[in-house]
Amino acid sequence: MFDFVIIGGGAAGYSAAISARQRNKTVCILRPEQNETWLSKAGKIHNYLGMPDISGKDLLAAFEQHVLDMGAEIKFGIAKQIMKNGDSFFISTGPDYIEARSVVVATGVRQPKQIPGEAEFVGNGVSYCGTCDGMLYKGKVVAVVAESIESIKEVDFLSSIAEKVYLSKGGIAFDFLAENVEVISGKVMEILGDETIQSILVGDQNYKVDGVFIFRNTTAYSSLLADLETEGNYIKTDRHMHTNIKGIFAAGDCTGEPLQIAKAVGEGNIAVLAAIKEKLV
Amino acid sequence: MFDFVIIGGGAAGYSAAISARQRNKTVCILRPEQNETWLSKAGKIHNYLGMPDISGKDLLAAFEQHVLDMGAEIKFGIAKQIMKNGDSFFISTGPDYIEARSVVVATGVRQPKQIPGEAEFVGNGVSYCGTCDGMLYKGKVVAVVAESIESIKEVDFLSSIAEKVYLSKGGIAFDFLAENVEVISGKVMEILGDETIQSILVGDQNYKVDGVFIFRNTTAYSSLLADLETEGNYIKTDRHMHTNIKGIFAAGDCTGEPLQIAKAVGEGNIAVLAAIKEKLV
């Protein structure tokens, strides 16, 4: 049980982490192994006060070192779902979960573009976790939409259970694929069915499937936490970074413009101090 | 005419300045010559992301260097009053003024503790600017409450006009005092009068005076800008750091808790980008 789980390894999440460690709170930062934030790809950064003329990569590295030096824990994984459990929260990463008294959502600006039909079949044929739901498809046919490197392990696992796996590889490099995995070229354009999933549409071709697994580096807010209030693509917060759910805060680009490092660092700090002030941790 | 005048040389003001320079806007930072912010006196700072384990003094120096390298101008002076002038603002420093299209108030947490009677007689015997109002007291008796080093010049000037100057020295070191300056020991406890000022009360002694000059490093918001909306000791802002007055923003400790560097840096950034986005500059 941590005081804080912070979802996201960018400026907002890391600032939240050091603010929590400064107050001697336990912190777990949950982030993808490939930490491809906007910052990691930025060229020279000039407007983060005190650290002029630095590459985004170096700035992110300095942030991460600071976080580790302050004693925060970094765990690789993608938050799939947040569940309330009395006064604490379970954050599911698929194969595992983390428990925390308070959560700071700092997942950045990118919300996944969902596939038509995806939202409709979530929990009823669409899954974001192979190790959780794979057994439901023993001897059946599934499709995998691969957009994160965790897909590699998941496809391996699913191919050992399902009769057949159709794989849309995205940009992911698979070293090995079992014989029952068929790579399909082209994007999955739609998930079709009536009460259950019947097929996927790729180009002008239909593939008959029983289930669709989608692996991305970000989870749609609606999947992460169905009740989370949003405004357009952003999580709605007040000036102290409260979301509409007690104990859950948001910080950084995911709360809206301006999409800036300084703003993210400020908001991470504010969120954690609000949680502490309100004795949530 | 500057795009931005930023009042205050702390984390919020400096962050605002680099955000403006990054967008190629002209910036004047107005700050006291002795920049005694909370930060300059802090010991080790651990929780400004990316710059671990640094003294407040060194961090402030790094901030200032960054600001200067980005081409912002720093002017020593204390903002006494902000006046609207069509689409721009005049910021009076007493002897001088600066014009700007937009203003960021980043004056820190400290609001002056006013002397009983001070607010009542502002503009009617109480003045914050010797060079502005001194001539009104030719041949008369004035008191000076000295709490900033600008008092040194101001007392020198006032002693050349007034018949007598009573001086409450505060902690200020005066090298030279004219013969008509009498140092009074003890604090000015009250300013007394009816329609005009009659006297000041120091300890249990009354000094008959015609006017009182008060020199501090901060100006009360009510003097700076009578219409500025506040909440307790803080300036009221929305999430984009707008005050209630179009074109005037606030950032940092002066907008409320948490009183933290990261929050201040974030807010300075947000304020300036809001002004730019709204085409105020």
Side-chain angles (χ1 to χ4, degrees):
Chain A
M1 166 85 99
F2 290 90
D3 291 319
F4 288 98
V5 161
I6 293 162
I7 306 176
Y14 285 166
S15 179
I18 60 164
S19 301
R21 289 301 303 141
Q22 173 85 351
R23 302 298 176 104
N24 211 26
K25 303 298 176 185
T26 55
V27 178
C28 178
I29 297 162
L30 182 63
R31 70 157 173 89
E33 191 172 347
Q34 287 187 313
N35 201 19
E36 290 200 339
T37 68
W38 170 88
L39 185 51
S40 70
K41 294 174 188 163
K44 286 282 183 185
I45 310 275
H46 296 281
N47 63 346
Y48 180 61
L49 187 64
M51 300 181 78
D53 202 27
I54 189 169
S55 75
K57 205 177 146 200
D58 289 347
L59 189 58
L60 190 61
F63 287 173
E64 190 163 308
Q65 194 56 54
H66 191 170
V67 162
L68 293 172
D69 290 346
M70 295 276 288
E73 194 171 311
I74 296 180
K75 193 179 158 74
F76 297 146
I78 291 140
K80 307 277 183 176
Q81 211 181 347
I82 303 172
M83 288 152 293
K84 182 118 184 107
N85 175 45
D87 283 342
S88 69
F89 298 93
F90 285 120
I91 296 90
S92 163
T93 62
D96 203 356
Y97 70 86
I98 313 169
E99 193 178 0
R101 290 188 181 84
S102 184
V103 179
V104 179
V105 179
T107 47
V109 73
R110 228 185 311 171
Q111 270 287 284
K113 201 173 173 215
Q114 293 199 304
I115 300 164
E118 176 180 338
E120 197 183 333
F121 288 109
V122 165
N124 184 30
V126 165
S127 169
Y128 303 108
C129 178
T131 41
C132 314
D133 299 329
M135 291 310 286
L136 300 171
Y137 298 92
K138 199 170 161 68
K140 296 189 174 177
V141 180
V142 299
V144 170
V145 177
E147 294 181 12
S148 80
I149 58 164
E150 64 166 349
S151 315
I152 296 169
K153 273 188 291 188
E154 296 280 27
V155 167
D156 194 42
F157 177 72
L158 287 168
S159 67
S160 72
I161 294 167
E163 190 193 312
K164 187 170 183 78
V165 177
Y166 290 112
L167 171 61
S168 170
K169 277 167 78 174
I172 310 302
F174 288 83
D175 284 340
F176 165 83
L177 290 172
E179 283 190 358
N180 62 340
V181 178
E182 183 181 335
V183 173
I184 51 180
S185 57
K187 281 203 163 186
V188 177
M189 295 167 67
E190 195 169 356
I191 300 167
L192 302 161
D194 35 53
E195 295 203 349
T196 57
I197 292 177
Q198 302 294 327
S199 66
I200 53 169
L201 181 67
V202 180
D204 54 3
Q205 235 186 309
N206 258 280
Y207 294 84
K208 208 177 146 353
V209 297
D210 301 301
V212 180
F213 287 85
I214 302 171
F215 303 112
R216 299 188 180 107
N217 273 333
T218 45
T219 304
Y221 301 136
S222 54
S223 305
L224 195 62
L225 196 61
D227 298 336
L228 190 66
E229 202 177 331
T230 54
E231 269 181 334
N233 268 333
Y234 299 119
I235 300 171
K236 194 175 173 184
T237 64
D238 65 12
R239 278 206 63 198
H240 298 282
M241 312 323 295
H242 297 103
T243 67
N244 64 312
I245 298 166
K246 192 180 168 181
I248 299 188
F249 295 77
D253 288 355
C254 64
T255 73
E257 295 186 359
L259 308 179
Q260 294 274 317
I261 303 166
K263 177 219 177 228
V265 167
E267 290 188 350
N269 173 259
I270 292 169
V272 157
L273 295 181
I276 293 170
K277 190 174 178 188
E278 292 157 23
K279 301 192 189 309
L280 297 174
V281 295
Chain B
M1 165 87 97
F2 290 91
D3 291 319
F4 288 98
V5 161
I6 293 163
I7 305 175
Y14 286 166
S15 179
I18 61 165
S19 302
R21 289 301 304 142
Q22 173 83 351
R23 303 298 177 101
N24 211 26
K25 302 298 176 187
T26 54
V27 178
C28 178
I29 297 162
L30 183 63
R31 69 158 174 87
E33 190 172 349
Q34 285 187 315
N35 200 19
E36 291 201 338
T37 69
W38 170 87
L39 185 51
S40 70
K41 294 174 188 164
K44 285 283 182 184
I45 310 275
H46 297 281
N47 63 346
Y48 180 61
L49 188 64
M51 300 182 78
D53 203 26
I54 189 169
S55 74
K57 204 178 146 202
D58 288 348
L59 189 58
L60 190 61
F63 287 174
E64 190 163 308
Q65 194 57 53
H66 191 169
V67 161
L68 293 172
D69 289 347
M70 297 276 288
E73 192 172 313
I74 295 180
K75 193 179 157 74
F76 297 146
I78 292 140
K80 308 277 183 176
Q81 210 180 349
I82 303 173
M83 288 151 293
K84 183 116 183 105
N85 176 44
D87 282 342
S88 69
F89 297 93
F90 285 120
I91 297 90
S92 162
T93 62
D96 204 354
Y97 71 86
I98 313 170
E99 192 177 1
R101 291 188 181 83
S102 183
V103 179
V104 179
V105 180
T107 46
V109 72
R110 227 184 312 170
Q111 270 287 284
K113 202 174 172 215
Q114 292 198 304
I115 300 164
E118 177 179 339
E120 197 184 332
F121 288 108
V122 165
N124 184 29
V126 166
S127 168
Y128 303 108
C129 178
T131 40
C132 314
D133 300 327
M135 291 311 284
L136 300 172
Y137 298 93
K138 199 170 162 67
K140 295 188 176 179
V141 180
V142 299
V144 169
V145 176
E147 293 181 12
S148 81
I149 59 164
E150 62 166 349
S151 314
I152 296 169
K153 273 187 292 187
E154 295 281 26
V155 167
D156 193 42
F157 177 72
L158 287 169
S159 68
S160 73
I161 295 169
E163 189 194 312
K164 187 170 184 79
V165 177
Y166 290 112
L167 171 62
S168 170
K169 276 169 77 174
I172 310 303
F174 289 82
D175 283 341
F176 165 83
L177 290 172
E179 281 191 0
N180 62 339
V181 178
E182 182 180 335
V183 174
I184 51 180
S185 56
K187 282 203 161 186
V188 176
M189 296 167 67
E190 196 169 353
I191 299 167
L192 301 162
D194 35 55
E195 297 202 349
T196 57
I197 291 178
Q198 301 295 327
S199 66
I200 53 170
L201 182 66
V202 181
D204 54 4
Q205 235 186 309
N206 259 280
Y207 294 84
K208 209 175 146 356
V209 298
D210 301 300
V212 179
F213 287 85
I214 303 172
F215 302 113
R216 300 187 179 107
N217 272 332
T218 45
T219 304
Y221 301 135
S222 54
S223 305
L224 196 60
L225 197 61
D227 297 337
L228 190 66
E229 202 178 331
T230 55
E231 269 180 335
N233 267 334
Y234 299 118
I235 300 171
K236 194 175 172 184
T237 65
D238 65 12
R239 278 205 63 200
H240 297 282
M241 314 321 296
H242 297 103
T243 68
N244 65 312
I245 297 166
K246 192 180 168 182
I248 298 189
F249 295 78
D253 288 355
C254 64
T255 74
E257 296 187 359
L259 309 179
Q260 295 274 316
I261 302 165
K263 177 217 176 231
V265 167
E267 290 187 350
N269 173 260
I270 292 168
V272 158
L273 295 181
I276 293 171
K277 189 174 180 188
E278 293 156 23
K279 302 192 188 308
L280 297 174
V281 294

